[in-house]
Amino acid sequence: MPRFSSANLLFWAVSLAAGLPLPAAQAAGLRVATFSADVTPPVGQPLVSGDLLKRVEDPLLAKGIVIEDGPARYVLCAVDWCELCNSSHALFRRKIAEAAGTCVSRVAVAALHQHTAPVADGDAEKLLTAAPKPPAVLGAKTVEALADRLAAAVRRSTACLEPFDQVGVGEAKVDRVASSRRVKGAHGKIRVRWSTCKEADLRAMPEGLIDPLLKTVTLARSGKPLVRLHYYATHPQTPYGDGRASADVPGWARQRRERKEGVFQVYFDGCGGDITLGKYNDGTPSAREGLARRLEAGMQAAAAATRFAPAAHVGWRVVPVAFAPRNDPGYTEADGRARLLNPAADYGTRTYRGAMVVAFRHREGVPFELTALAIGPARILHLPGEAFIDFQLYAQRVAPRAFVAVAAYGDCATGYICTQKAFAEGGYEPTDSMVAPQSESVLRSAIRKLLADER
Ligand SMILES: [Zn+2]
């Protein structure tokens, strides 16, 4: 159950960046604004698999909220892109911060990780562009123009800040959407249940370790919802790689809910690193429609289960984290560089196993900023990378009496953030992770710091 005590609120207020509690007169003035921008790249730009965008099935949106508490503003933003990494993630944060009139540390930006969408990593793109016979990369000018469009929407929203006085929290079990990608086969060998799974025997295996609950945080004024923020953990993609841009299952569910309820809706992807739709997605259009319908039903049920509490303050905590790069064979800088420079290698090898490996190693000294928002009974964590579901469940265990909602897929330069056990077991994710196995304890320690007052 959520815990809501004055001692907690004081602690969170004190952890504002300035390190000072808000004066009581200002603390009463909570306001919120919503923004939405179309951030679909132009036709011809590459999507995650290197396929060039040919057709916009439905637009990719960047949606979020600006929360104002006295003199301080905070921004939460969820983008219908596969990933934002390194300097591209920093660019989005900086432009949003400038537009909202706040500092970068008070801006959380996360991707939803659809695969009918682009990956932006300005550093990897620079390396690729300088390599022989480079593959198509998302142009720096394109990314900047889309970030500017988003910033303009954020700026406009600040003229429409409206008061709120309640925070609602609700959760509901989602029916047949998420399932573990890591299925134990014969002799404990890990089999991969991809997001689109054509193998009936793999689809028949149990869901495995997931977080079955979708969590919804509602900001309201006198019982009237102004915005709903939804949190659920899974890779969200159905078939991709055919030049189509789409917000896919989570975007469909979110926009339908918004149209039906008439309340602004934002969806954040939780720690879905080792979770897919595979058990329930054979790749057919009817499977896709069923997934969107059931995810939307989860949003509706969580909203219906909402219980409101008064909101008077916002707490915000920032924990900078450094993740060590891997040094095992195949993952050194020399290995990454060799792949990046090889014109005969395929798009994924050059980009994800090559340029991004090198780019991650070059960011040494630039920490990942993990943040937590405390408002009413809700504690919302913003984590980087493709974190395993274990981390989301761990955050809930760390603060068992709080309502802990988790957004992952912040700066995705880490690739997968696996558990140490997963490296020993094998499977797909550890082959696609940029960070060393000890990252599990690094991330757990950061989560404990983000929730320090709740333990
Ligand atoms: Zn992924």
Side-chain angles (χ1 to χ4, degrees):
M1 285 306 297
R3 191 171 54 160
F4 185 69
S5 72
S6 53
N8 270 354
L9 287 175
L10 180 65
F11 191 98
W12 280 91
V14 169
S15 31
L16 288 167
L20 296 168
L22 288 172
Q26 290 170 329
L30 287 179
R31 297 199 296 168
V32 64
T34 63
F35 59 85
S36 176
D38 183 338
V39 289
T40 314
V43 164
Q45 290 288 325
L47 303 177
V48 56
S49 308
D51 52 321
L52 303 183
L53 200 163
K54 286 195 295 239
R55 182 167 76 85
V56 180
E57 186 177 25
D58 49 282
L60 308 178
L61 303 180
K63 302 183 76 175
I65 58 169
V66 179
I67 300 178
E68 186 182 77
D69 182 359
R73 285 180 181 167
Y74 308 88
V75 185
L76 313 186
C77 178
V79 187
D80 286 337
W81 281 14
C82 185
E83 293 181 6
L84 284 150
C85 311
N86 290 310
S87 58
S88 296
H89 186 261
L91 174 79
F92 268 54
R93 277 183 101 197
R94 180 169 57 75
K95 297 246 180 204
I96 290 172
E98 285 166 6
T102 189
C103 60
V104 169
S105 290
R106 289 175 175 174
V107 175
V109 176
L112 268 67
H113 205 53
Q114 296 99 333
H115 279 40
T116 37
V119 169
D121 181 335
D123 303 279
E125 285 145 22
K126 250 187 224 159
L127 291 165
L128 283 165
T129 305
K133 295 195 181 151
V137 301
L138 200 58
K141 281 200 178 118
T142 300
V143 176
E144 178 123 14
L146 294 169
D148 281 337
R149 190 187 295 170
L150 168 58
V154 173
R155 190 171 288 109
R156 280 194 302 276
S157 81
T158 59
C160 308
L161 283 154
E162 56 180 323
F164 71 98
D165 53 18
Q166 290 175 310
V167 174
V169 294
E171 60 187 26
K173 188 170 182 291
V174 177
D175 177 35
R176 290 169 295 141
V177 172
S179 58
S180 176
R181 176 163 44 203
R182 301 170 62 77
V183 176
K184 281 238 169 83
H187 313 297
K189 197 176 177 317
I190 300 291
R191 293 180 66 192
V192 183
R193 186 160 55 193
W194 297 107
S195 288
T196 295
C197 181
K198 303 274 189 195
E199 296 151 280
D201 66 322
L202 269 178
R203 290 202 307 274
M205 299 290 269
E207 283 184 351
L209 182 67
I210 62 165
D211 183 346
L213 296 178
L214 183 144
K215 291 181 188 276
T216 298
V217 177
T218 303
L219 305 185
R221 183 171 65 248
S222 309
K224 178 181 178 269
L226 303 176
V227 57
R228 296 204 194 271
L229 311 172
H230 303 288
Y231 298 83
Y232 183 67
T234 182
H235 269 68
Q237 66 266 22
T238 57
Y240 59 92
D242 53 7
R244 230 176 349 111
S246 171
D248 211 334
V249 165
W252 290 9
R254 176 193 65 201
Q255 295 311 105
R256 288 174 186 177
R257 197 88 290 282
E258 181 166 303
R259 278 194 295 275
K260 286 181 199 163
E261 198 189 5
V263 174
F264 192 82
Q265 316 265 330
V266 188
Y267 176 90
F268 288 91
D269 198 356
C271 295
D274 53 339
I275 310 287
T276 69
L277 306 176
K279 180 170 172 58
Y280 305 110
N281 178 30
D282 60 6
T284 56
S286 66
R288 187 187 195 200
E289 176 54 34
L291 286 159
R293 215 175 41 238
R294 295 194 296 275
L295 186 61
E296 188 200 343
M299 293 175 181
Q300 186 175 8
T306 293
R307 277 180 299 173
F308 288 100
H313 294 275
V314 171
W316 184 263
R317 186 168 297 169
V318 183
V319 176
V321 174
F323 291 101
R326 294 172 73 165
N327 277 315
D328 45 329
Y331 296 89
T332 65
E333 177 160 352
D335 293 323
R337 193 167 292 283
R339 293 193 194 98
L340 140 74
L341 294 174
N342 178 7
D346 62 36
Y347 178 85
T349 303
R350 290 191 88 180
T351 304
Y352 304 115
R353 304 283 311 281
M356 283 174 75
V357 168
V358 178
F360 174 65
R361 302 182 77 97
H362 283 191
R363 74 177 273 152
E364 237 175 295
V366 180
F368 290 77
E369 279 195 343
L370 280 55
T371 59
L373 171 77
I375 186 162
R379 303 292 177 267
I380 304 175
L381 305 193
H382 307 107
L383 306 183
E386 300 200 59
F388 269 37
I389 192 65
D390 300 66
F391 295 104
Q392 177 165 323
L393 300 173
Y394 178 69
Q396 293 165 5
R397 283 203 303 279
V398 163
R401 285 165 299 198
F403 184 92
V404 179
V406 182
Y409 295 95
D411 187 334
C412 283
T414 56
Y416 288 96
I417 306 179
C418 305
T419 56
Q420 209 137 6
K421 188 165 148 250
F423 277 98
E425 287 175 345
Y428 160 65
E429 300 86 353
T431 68
D432 202 40
S433 171
M434 246 74 85
V435 296
Q438 61 263 35
S439 300
E440 175 181 352
S441 56
V442 173
L443 185 51
R444 280 177 184 249
S445 157
I447 289 169
R448 286 195 299 277
K449 285 180 194 158
L450 290 168
L451 292 166
D453 65 319
E454 304 294 336
R455 299 165 62 208

